Amino acid sequence: MRFPEYRPRRLRQSKAFRQMIRETYLDASDFIFPMFVVEGKAIKMPLASMPGQFQYSPDILAKEIKQVVDSGVSAVILFGVPSKKDALGSQAYANDGVIQQAIKRVKDISPDLTVVTDVCLCEYTDHGHCGVISGETVDNDPTLDLLAKVSISHARAGSDMVAPSDMMDGRVGAIREALDESGYEYIPIMAYSAKYCSAFYGPFRDAAQSAPQFGDRKSYQMDPANGDEALREVELDIDEGADIVMVKPALSYLDIIWRVKSSFNRPVAAYNVSGEYSMLKAASQNGWVDGERCMLEVLTSIKRAGADIIITYHALEAARALGKAEAKR
Ligand code: PBG
């Protein structure tokens, strides 16, 4: 069918037609909101490189959690920022560690809010790498035991789902086995499966104080140039027991989201990371782009590419914007 029989503009001429043929809808329930929790009291510290985002101490989470719930967003992903770091990242699995306190606090405030927890060591190690160091390398296999310990401690504190972001080989299997042995066979794993070694994590590393103190993460995170390798990573994680697989970052990797969604019949999450958020905020604060419209366009593109779940710092704003649009209809 071609012009003049087919005129695509026919179905664009009214709002009713446009709505009728709309293919992608965003909903507050698509989003997971990331939050940074620091040790201390009465802290609400704005993050300079992530306008509108903060570090919170566990004691003052109530107000913020209420805002999350009121926005309609039904899940948060928590990142702990400990005050003490050591070579093994022991605060990551300490019973009274900042993340364990944060999980309990959020569950006390709002038992129905789903709490996802990031499982990694980089915020907790003094060298800033995501695993145990031996010489100059990150030693894969000894790291697995620690990640399993971290996951169990999160589950014990009340986490609803663990999300390993370390990119060690075999960690999903190790975590699944450990959770099952400890009686947490119903705690799902959302695996950061295709996690790239991306410069877009810059602002997050300020927020989580997790920049590597030497070298980089190229020996464990993926090369941005690779696509087939992402499918191999996802396949491995599914074989090892991942319930949800993730692509991260989102925007420069929409093709990967699409390939993962079309190759596997699994729920796919995409992480709209810190640098993607900050870029848009900076342009919008300068008046260079319409921030709200760009935000919704970005999130729609991630969903259209195949993501079922979007982890995004825009979550609350986006949920509110969608609510407003709904009210106007
Ligand atoms: C921890 C982790 C990182 C992010 C999520 N979990 C940083 C990293 O790998 O350096 C990045 C999230 C973001 O940029 O928003 N490994």
Side-chain angles (χ1 to χ4, degrees), residues 167 171-172 191-195 222 227-242 244-247 256 259-261 263-268:
M167 287 301 275
R171 90 278 205 211
V172 173
Y192 287 70
S193 303
K195 177 171 174 179
M222 281 181 56
D228 292 346
E229 190 188 353
L231 299 189
R232 295 198 291 274
E233 280 281 8
V234 168
E235 194 174 5
L236 264 178
D237 284 359
I238 291 174
D239 284 349
E240 291 177 28
I244 298 172
V245 290
M246 193 198 299
V247 175
I256 309 299
R259 288 179 70 182
V260 169
K261 190 63 201 175
S263 308
F264 302 95
N265 56 352
R266 292 298 162 131
V268 175

Side-chain angles (χ1 to χ4, degrees), residues 36 50 79 118 120 122-123 130 165-166 192 195 200-205 210 212 217 221 248 271-275 313:
F36 301 101
M50 298 180 72
F79 295 92
D118 186 84
C120 197
C122 60
E123 299 107 283
C130 304
S165 69
D166 51 283
Y192 287 70
K195 177 171 174 179
F200 286 103
Y201 308 150
F204 173 95
R205 292 182 188 168
S210 66
R217 304 211 203 286
Q221 299 182 345
K248 173 184 174 196
Y271 201 139
N272 177 215
V273 300
S274 56
Y313 304 94

Side-chain angles (χ1 to χ4, degrees), residues 116-117 119 151 160-165 171-180 184-193 237 240-246 267:
V116 184
T117 48
V119 172
S151 303
D160 296 301
M161 174 155 75
V162 292
S165 69
R171 90 278 205 211
V172 173
I175 291 172
R176 184 70 274 158
E177 199 183 307
L179 286 173
D180 290 357
Y184 297 114
E185 52 276 86
Y186 276 92
I187 298 292
I189 299 176
M190 175 165 73
Y192 287 70
S193 303
D237 284 359
E240 291 177 28
D243 299 281
I244 298 172
V245 290
M246 193 198 299

Side-chain angles (χ1 to χ4, degrees), residues 43 53 89 100 103 115 126 129 182 223 232 256 260 303:
I43 299 170
Q53 304 300 316
Q100 289 76 8
I103 298 165
V115 171
D126 49 13
H129 278 289
S182 307
D223 180 346
R232 295 198 291 274
I256 309 299
V260 169
K303 190 154 183 201

Side-chain angles (χ1 to χ4, degrees), residues 13 40 46 53 63-64 67 80 96 158 165 190 215 221-222 316:
Q13 64 189 319
Q53 304 300 316
K63 200 166 148 216
E64 188 62 19
Q67 284 185 10
D96 58 348
S165 69
M190 175 165 73
Q221 299 182 345
M222 281 181 56
L316 305 198

Side-chain angles (χ1 to χ4, degrees), residues 87-308:
L88 297 180
S90 60
Q91 285 299 304
Y93 43 87
N95 268 334
D96 58 348
V98 61
I99 185 71
Q100 289 76 8
Q101 289 175 42
I103 298 165
K104 287 184 199 140
R105 189 81 189 101
V106 174
K107 279 291 173 192
D108 279 350
I109 298 164
S110 177
D112 295 336
L113 183 69
T114 295
V115 171
V116 184
T117 48
D118 186 84
V119 172
C120 197
L121 297 181
C122 60
E123 299 107 283
Y124 302 90
T125 50
D126 49 13
H127 44 72
H129 278 289
C130 304
V132 178
I133 294 292
S134 103
E136 292 276 283
T137 54
V138 176
D139 203 352
N140 194 87
D141 298 9
T143 302
L144 302 182
D145 290 341
L146 293 184
L147 295 167
K149 262 166 92 166
V150 174
S151 303
I152 291 172
S153 86
H154 288 188
R156 196 182 302 125
S159 173
D160 296 301
M161 174 155 75
V162 292
S165 69
D166 51 283
M167 287 301 275
M168 296 302 116
D169 295 335
R171 90 278 205 211
V172 173
I175 291 172
R176 184 70 274 158
E177 199 183 307
L179 286 173
D180 290 357
E181 277 171 5
S182 307
Y184 297 114
E185 52 276 86
Y186 276 92
I187 298 292
I189 299 176
M190 175 165 73
Y192 287 70
S193 303
K195 177 171 174 179
Y196 287 87
C197 190
S198 169
F200 286 103
Y201 308 150
F204 173 95
R205 292 182 188 168
D206 296 340
Q209 290 149 20
S210 66
Q213 299 303 303
F214 66 89
D216 52 39
R217 304 211 203 286
K218 286 187 183 144
S219 76
Y220 43 106
Q221 299 182 345
M222 281 181 56
D223 180 346
N226 296 352
D228 292 346
E229 190 188 353
L231 299 189
R232 295 198 291 274
E233 280 281 8
V234 168
E235 194 174 5
L236 264 178
D237 284 359
I238 291 174
D239 284 349
E240 291 177 28
D243 299 281
I244 298 172
V245 290
M246 193 198 299
V247 175
K248 173 184 174 196
L251 273 191
S252 298
Y253 302 87
L254 293 176
D255 57 325
I256 309 299
I257 298 173
W258 171 250
R259 288 179 70 182
V260 169
K261 190 63 201 175
S262 16
S263 308
F264 302 95
N265 56 352
R266 292 298 162 131
V268 175
Y271 201 139
N272 177 215
V273 300
S274 56
E276 299 174 329
Y277 170 84
S278 302
M279 233 170 21
L280 186 49
K281 282 288 166 201
S284 145
Q285 284 181 349
N286 276 297
W288 296 336
V289 296
D290 176 334
E292 183 170 303
R293 287 188 55 205
C294 283
M295 166 184 76
L296 293 175
E297 189 171 332
V298 159
L299 296 171
T300 301
S301 74
I302 298 170
K303 190 154 183 201
R304 194 190 61 233
D308 301 289

